Amino acid sequence: MKQITEESAIYPHKSISGFIQEVRLRKITGSHKLTSKTLALVTDLIAKEPWQTAEELLALIRTQGSFLAAALPHDIVIANTIRRIMKIVREEYDSSRVVHFDDAQSILSLHKLVTQGADPERGNYSKPMPGLKTALVDHLSEIGTELETTAENISAQAAEHIHSAELIMTIGYSRAVEKFLKKAAESRPIEVVVVECAPDCLGQQLAANLGRAKIQTTLISDAAIFAIMSRINKIIIGTHSVLANGGLQALCGTYSLALSAKHFSVPVIVLAPTYKLTPVHLCNYEQGDFNILNNTEAVLPFKCPAARFTKAYNPLFDYVPPELVTLFITNNGANAPSYVYRLISELYHPEDNQL
């Protein structure tokens, strides 16, 4: 039994290895699919792997999650899902312990919230708890259902933030932004300006999709952002992740867009499902730590004579500081950037920030 434990601590589970391979081969793409698949994998581990206590389960999830985080460091939603599940394990254990100790104490009161830090048993997950596995599987099933309705919950808020005849600007391609704008256009006329986001030109796909939905759409180059910004009423964008301070790890070009918006006092609204909120801070601006460098063939062809003497970089992400963001719209409602810390504290446990 000891040998099995040591091997499981050294090597990732077979399903985890297969998932890493599929992501690296781009067979699984998109934040929503990555989150759903990670949730399904960990739920399967909880249901099938042998464990007796919450402490053993947390160690199992942390070990396998560290493999995922190390192998796929730029897919932050995977690590976020691991942290969220670990918080759920802690909550279910504490809830079961309180119920078994005294049913009357299961109702949180102000006195309990103040004094629960003095509970000597709180934070001790080494005791077996009957029914914990069933409760966890049921809770994770509810989280899966919540994930399925995330896009609908965000787009349902479109009518509150987009008004009739407004000129909206966005950048690149985001499924959440596309659904949000289409939902708003169902009840009122709007006009959308899409920045193409060269050199990958992802905005062309969004402009084409909005055009097919009978939404008046204009596609512009990145260089025209500042020139047209004075006519824009709102900016609505997606993001790769939301950092702990409320800053964004967003598509390259978003920073210049946000700076232009600040100059003309145009509100910047970010659509961010809760699984994109991460307790990670920006450690430095080094490209290797924060960014991914894409192929530069579209800008500087490899066979071009200038390629022999030129170094070209095509970063995938921009860091956008929180002071350039006006509002976050999550599947649970709208919040200011200063409230992100509170949302993160509700989603993750402080001990799980570092996997």
Side-chain angles (χ1 to χ4, degrees):
M1 185 69 184
K2 184 178 180 181
Q3 184 179 0
I4 294 176
T5 304
E6 290 177 353
E7 289 179 356
S8 63
I10 297 174
Y11 302 107
H13 193 272
K14 185 177 180 180
S15 60
I16 298 294
S17 301
F19 176 57
I20 293 172
Q21 186 71 7
E22 289 181 343
V23 174
R24 285 179 170 176
L25 293 175
R26 312 308 296 170
K27 292 183 179 179
I28 302 177
T29 57
S31 298
H32 184 269
K33 290 182 180 179
L34 290 173
T35 304
S36 300
K37 184 63 175 178
T38 305
L39 180 65
L41 282 176
V42 179
T43 303
D44 193 57
L45 285 176
I46 293 173
K48 296 181 179 180
E49 289 296 306
W51 54 273
Q52 299 298 325
T53 65
E55 187 176 37
E56 294 178 6
L57 178 59
L58 287 171
L60 171 66
I61 297 175
R62 186 184 299 276
T63 301
Q64 299 301 323
S66 63
F67 284 119
L68 285 171
L72 305 168
H74 295 291
D75 293 312
I76 298 181
V77 293
I78 295 177
N80 291 345
T81 307
I82 298 295
R83 295 184 182 101
R84 177 85 184 274
I85 294 173
M86 294 179 72
K87 175 70 177 293
I88 291 172
V89 172
R90 298 175 190 274
E91 288 178 344
E92 287 293 339
Y93 178 85
D94 290 335
S95 176
S96 299
R97 183 178 61 81
V98 169
V99 169
H100 280 78
F101 178 73
D102 185 0
D103 289 340
Q105 294 184 9
S106 61
I107 302 176
L108 288 176
S109 63
L110 180 60
H111 176 73
K112 182 180 177 182
L113 289 172
V114 173
T115 60
Q116 65 182 172
D119 186 357
E121 292 295 324
R122 189 171 183 84
N124 179 16
Y125 304 101
S126 59
K127 294 183 179 180
M129 190 64 63
L132 180 60
K133 178 179 289 190
T134 304
L136 284 173
V137 172
D138 292 342
H139 196 152
L140 294 180
S141 177
E142 294 176 3
I143 297 298
T145 304
E146 178 186 326
L147 278 177
E148 294 176 0
T149 59
T150 295
E152 288 74 14
N153 291 338
I154 292 178
S155 60
Q157 304 174 59
E160 303 174 14
H161 301 281
I162 299 180
H163 307 294
S164 180
E166 281 193 328
L167 185 59
I168 310 297
M169 178 180 280
T170 186
I171 184 171
Y173 178 76
S174 168
R175 292 185 181 91
V177 172
E178 180 182 347
K179 291 182 178 180
F180 194 83
L181 294 175
K182 286 181 177 179
K183 186 68 175 179
E186 290 178 359
S187 57
R188 62 207 61 192
I190 63 172
E191 185 177 349
V192 181
V193 176
V194 181
V195 182
E196 66 176 357
C197 197
D200 297 325
C201 298
L202 299 175
Q204 294 180 3
Q205 181 183 353
L206 177 60
N209 293 348
L210 294 178
R212 283 192 287 268
K214 308 300 182 183
I215 299 175
Q216 187 174 352
T217 307
T218 304
L219 183 69
I220 65 171
S221 67
D222 298 47
I225 291 176
F226 191 83
I228 200 174
M229 184 60 69
S230 60
R231 297 176 51 206
I232 302 298
N233 298 114
K234 285 188 181 74
I235 292 177
I236 299 178
I237 58 175
T239 183
H240 182 71
S241 64
V242 179
L243 304 182
N245 64 340
L248 306 180
Q249 184 183 15
L251 201 62
C252 190
T254 307
Y255 181 55
S256 59
L257 178 71
L259 282 176
S260 300
K262 182 179 181 180
H263 180 80
F264 289 99
S265 300
V266 177
V268 177
I269 299 175
V270 181
L271 308 184
T274 51
Y275 55 78
K276 290 189 177 184
L277 302 179
T278 179
V280 175
H281 289 268
L282 178 69
C283 54
N284 57 58
Y285 290 90
E286 293 295 329
Q287 298 291 347
D289 293 334
F290 179 77
N291 229 322
I292 301 175
L293 297 180
N294 275 354
N295 189 1
T296 59
E297 181 71 17
V299 179
L300 188 68
F302 181 73
K303 295 182 180 180
C304 175
R308 301 179 184 179
F309 316 103
T310 307
K311 287 186 177 180
Y313 297 94
N314 181 18
L316 184 60
F317 299 123
D318 264 350
Y319 171 69
V320 181
E323 54 266 22
L324 299 182
V325 178
T326 307
L327 191 70
F328 286 103
I329 298 179
T330 70
N331 44 300
N332 295 328
N335 300 103
S338 59
Y339 197 74
V340 168
Y341 81 96
R342 177 64 180 173
L343 298 176
I344 289 177
S345 67
E346 293 174 356
L347 290 172
Y348 313 117
H349 194 278
E351 294 182 9
D352 303 330
N353 289 350
Q354 295 294 331
L355 292 179

